[in-house]
Structures are given as C-alpha cells and as structure tokens.
Amino acid sequence: MSSDDLGVVAALHDPVRRAVYEYVISQGRDVGRNEAAEAVGVQRTLAAFHLDKLVEAGLLESGFKRLGEKTGPGSGRPAKVYRRAPGEWQVSVPARDYRTLALVLAEAVDLLGGEDRAEEAARRAGGRIAERVAPDESLEETLRQRGYEPYAQEGRLRLRNCPFHVLAEAQPLLVCSMNLSLCRGLLEGLGQDPERARLDPRPGECCVSLSINNEN
C-alpha cells in the first residue's frame, strides 16, 4: 500500500467530499461546479473546494468547457468541469498483491488454451454470487455492490466501470468472455434469462450490458 493509496482514503473520508465524488463519477461526463453543488445540496464554493481537493488526490481530473448551448461572442468564459480520473487504487493492511497473481493466472490460462474452462469457472462463480444475494435485492444493486456502476440507457443496463480493468487491458478477449460468463451465471442463479447479458463494449466502460426488461 503506497502513500498515494492512503491519500485517496483520506480524500474520501469527508462525507460531503465523498458525495461530490460519487455524483461526478455516476454521470459519465463532465460536471460543472454549479451542478455538483445542487446535486449534493451545498454551496458552490464548498463544492468547488471539494472538487479541487479530489483533483489533488488524483481521483478526478479537471478541464474547461463551455456549458450550455450559447457559443461565440458574449457566451462567457469556459467553466471549470470535472470527470473521473484514470487509474485505480487499492488499500489493504497489511499490503497484499492479488493483482500480480491474477495477471499471472490470466496469462497462464491464455498460454494453455484454457478459455473454455475459464468461462465455465466464471459462470459457476456468478452462480455462487447469486446464492448470496438477499431476496429483496435488485439486480442493479447487486451489480453496484460488485463495482460495475450500472445505469439505465435505451432499454439496457449498462456498466460504467469494469471491476477487472487491469486484467482486461492485459488479456481483453479472455477477461471479457469470462466477465460475460460471470454475469450470465449470476442471472441464471437468480432465476433470470442469462441471455440478457451480452458483449456490448463501449470506450471507457465495461464490455457487458444487460437488457432491462428480461429480453435479449
């Protein structure tokens, strides 16, 4: 665990700052100071303070953009906007390095040609996740708890975050197929149509999406 990781934990300790961060990352687009302030119910100056602290911590990145439809002379200065920063942080005490082993295992599966077995194992893992889901818990909440950051769009439940991002960058075909199998195993374990899940890659998002109305 590095000092940068500890800094991230400290940056999110404040409840208002955490609310600001969660709002920005949930939008999947640039967010201005006024919008963030209104969303979490604080003054603009306080929202700006927390947004800039999140940039300092490396959790957000900032830029400038004209907000609204008016352009050209008289449209005013570009506003400061914020978005999720690339990268990820892990905190454990004592320090652990599961990432390196996971990368090694993914490479071994690829070298041995074990993709089919890996997909079968991922589907079983999805079923085991389903066994731990509370009866009143929605699919969206289950996915949220697993780090997928689901959101509804055009009849599909899209996943803003890939929980396996580092592995997916190293072994995209293997990890995306396993991710799809895991999601289908989860649906199957919940008594739902596993074909609701399909590969649907988008830049910067998870490679899987799910139909909302239990239709393919």
Side-chain angles (χ1 to χ4, degrees), residues 86-88 161-171 175 204-205:
E88 61 184 57
N161 181 56
C162 173
F164 317 111
H165 175 69
V166 171
L167 295 176
E169 285 195 322
Q171 298 284 350
V175 175
E205 296 191 3

Side-chain angles (χ1 to χ4, degrees), residues 56-134:
E56 290 178 16
L59 286 162
L60 298 181
E61 60 183 16
S62 62
F64 291 89
K65 179 181 180 180
R66 294 191 185 278
L67 301 177
E69 299 180 356
K70 190 174 182 180
T71 59
S75 60
R77 295 184 302 172
K80 194 169 187 179
V81 294
Y82 303 82
R83 68 190 72 86
R84 187 208 300 267
E88 61 184 57
W89 293 263
Q90 294 183 346
V91 178
S92 64
V93 181
R96 299 287 188 251
D97 188 11
Y98 303 112
R99 179 186 303 182
T100 298
L101 181 59
L103 288 167
V104 171
L105 291 172
E107 184 176 358
V109 170
D110 182 55
L111 291 173
L112 294 171
E115 293 84 355
D116 290 343
R117 293 293 182 87
E119 291 174 16
E120 292 171 6
R123 191 151 186 156
R124 290 194 296 271
R128 289 193 294 271
I129 293 172
E131 293 174 358
R132 302 193 296 271
V133 173

Side-chain angles (χ1 to χ4, degrees), residues 156-207:
R156 299 200 66 78
L157 200 59
R158 302 195 179 277
L159 310 174
R160 200 180 304 282
N161 181 56
C162 173
F164 317 111
H165 175 69
V166 171
L167 295 176
E169 285 195 322
Q171 298 284 350
L173 295 179
L174 171 64
V175 175
C176 287
S177 64
M178 290 180 66
N179 188 20
L180 175 61
S181 294
L182 186 147
C183 290
R184 286 180 170 173
L186 170 63
L187 289 168
E188 196 169 44
L190 294 174
Q192 301 182 27
D193 181 4
E195 296 303 314
R196 289 178 60 189
R198 73 183 188 200
L199 288 177
D200 187 14
R202 284 186 168 192
E205 296 191 3
C206 180
C207 58

Side-chain angles (χ1 to χ4, degrees), residues 1-2 6 9 18 21 30 34 37 77 92-93 104-105 121 142 153 169-171 205-206:
M1 178 173 57
S2 70
L6 290 172
V9 174
R18 185 175 182 86
Y21 172 73
D30 292 338
N34 286 338
R77 295 184 302 172
S92 64
V93 181
V104 171
L105 291 172
T142 299
Q153 186 181 74
E169 285 195 322
Q171 298 284 350
E205 296 191 3
C206 180

